[in-house]
Amino acid sequence: MEGKKAYDLAYLEVLNGKENMERDWNNLLITEESQRPCFRIYQWKEKTLSLGYSQEPINLSIPVVKRPTGGGALLHGWDLSFSYTGLRKDWGGSFSKIYINFMGLLLELLKKVDPAFDMSRYRGGYEGYFCYFYPTLGEISFKGKKVVACAMRMGKEAFLLHGSLFLDMDYAYFESLTGIEGKKLKERIITFKELGLGFEEAVELMHGLKMLCNTSNV
C-alpha cells in the first residue's frame, strides 16, 4: 500500500496559487508549440481563491489569483486540482465537444464508483461570483449536487482545462470569508468526504484519468 501511495503521489505538485496558474499557462503554450499534451495533478500550499480570467478582483484575507481559464471564483485548500492541455483537433474541436469528451472520461471512472454521478450539459453563463451555485457544461454532480468544477481556455490549436475535485469543505470558514451562508453552499455541493471517499481514491481517479487521456481516441 505504501508503495502504491508513493507511486501515485509522485504525480502530485503542491505550489502556491501564482505558481500553479503560471505552470498551467506555460503548459498551454508548450502544447501549442510542441503539439504535446500535458496532464497535471496538484494542490495548493495555502488557502487561495482563484478567479475566472474575466472576473473583477476581490479583497480577501487570503491570496487571490486569476486563472487563465474562465468560470466563477473557487476556494482552494480542501480540493484536489488537475489541469490538462491538449490539442483541439484530438478532442472534437469545439468548446462544447471538448468539454463533453474530456469530462466524459472522468464521469466514466466516477460511475464505476457510483452510478449516481452525472455530468452537466448546461450551456448558460454564471449569474453569481462563485462557481459553486450554478452548473456549467462538463461539471460533475452527484444527485444534483456539484462535486467537480471545471473551466477551460481555448488556444489557436490547443486548450487548457482546469478541474477541481471537492475533497472536503469547511463550510463555516467559507461563510466567514465570503459572507455567504455555509448552509446555502452545502445545499449546492457535496464533497468526496461526504460521499465516503478519501484522498487516496481521488488521486487514483486522477491517475486513471491521466491514463485514459494518454490512450483515448475521441
Side-chain angles (χ1 to χ4, degrees):
M1 182 64 175
E2 289 301 316
K4 181 177 185 299
K5 274 189 183 181
Y7 175 76
D8 286 341
L9 293 180
Y11 292 94
L12 182 67
E13 294 182 291
V14 183
L15 304 172
N16 66 38
K18 185 174 182 290
E19 291 168 334
N20 272 326
M21 296 304 93
E22 286 178 348
R23 185 70 57 88
D24 287 340
W25 178 250
N26 286 335
N27 284 345
L28 176 60
L29 298 180
I30 289 169
T31 300
E32 284 277 9
E33 173 104 7
S34 69
Q35 307 285 290
R36 177 175 56 84
C38 180
F39 191 102
R40 284 187 71 216
I41 306 170
Y42 59 94
Q43 288 189 293
W44 307 67
K45 275 187 177 178
E46 56 195 339
K47 296 178 183 69
T48 303
L49 189 77
S50 74
L51 309 180
Y53 66 83
S54 63
Q55 287 190 294
E56 293 296 322
I58 186 173
N59 290 321
L60 292 177
S61 59
I62 63 172
V64 177
V65 65
K66 280 272 187 125
R67 296 190 306 269
T69 54
L74 190 65
L75 179 61
H76 304 279
W78 299 273
D79 59 327
L80 180 65
S81 296
F82 68 89
S83 67
Y84 180 77
T85 56
L87 297 174
R88 294 173 57 171
K89 64 182 178 62
D90 292 340
W91 291 88
S94 71
F95 193 88
S96 59
K97 285 182 179 178
I98 292 170
Y99 256 136
I100 291 169
N101 288 331
F102 183 91
M103 296 302 289
L105 295 180
L106 178 56
L107 180 64
E108 179 183 320
L109 293 171
L110 284 166
K111 278 188 172 293
K112 292 177 181 178
V113 178
D114 194 310
F117 283 103
D118 200 4
M119 180 173 63
S120 171
R121 293 178 181 256
Y122 173 71
R123 297 170 185 265
Y126 278 95
E127 298 175 16
Y129 197 77
F130 292 89
C131 82
Y132 301 103
F133 303 99
Y134 303 92
T136 60
L137 184 67
E139 294 186 317
I140 306 295
S141 63
F142 182 85
K143 296 183 178 178
K145 291 186 175 184
K146 189 183 294 191
V147 68
V148 180
C150 61
M152 189 161 60
R153 176 75 172 264
M154 300 286 271
K156 184 178 179 181
E157 296 185 62
F159 67 90
L160 164 64
L161 196 148
H162 275 142
S164 183
L165 284 68
F166 305 155
L167 300 183
D168 198 1
M169 176 59 73
D170 186 332
Y171 295 100
Y173 180 84
F174 180 85
E175 182 171 338
S176 69
L177 185 73
T178 66
I180 299 171
E181 286 186 38
K183 179 182 176 182
K184 181 180 178 184
L185 178 63
K186 197 165 186 176
E187 290 171 351
R188 303 306 293 269
I189 74 167
I190 192 166
T191 68
F192 271 51
K193 184 177 180 179
E194 290 165 336
L195 292 170
L197 301 171
F199 177 74
E200 289 79 11
E201 287 92 343
V203 172
E204 187 176 350
L205 277 168
M206 288 297 94
H207 181 65
L209 180 60
K210 180 178 180 178
M211 297 302 293
L212 285 177
C213 289
N214 289 340
T215 59
S216 180
N217 185 20
V218 176

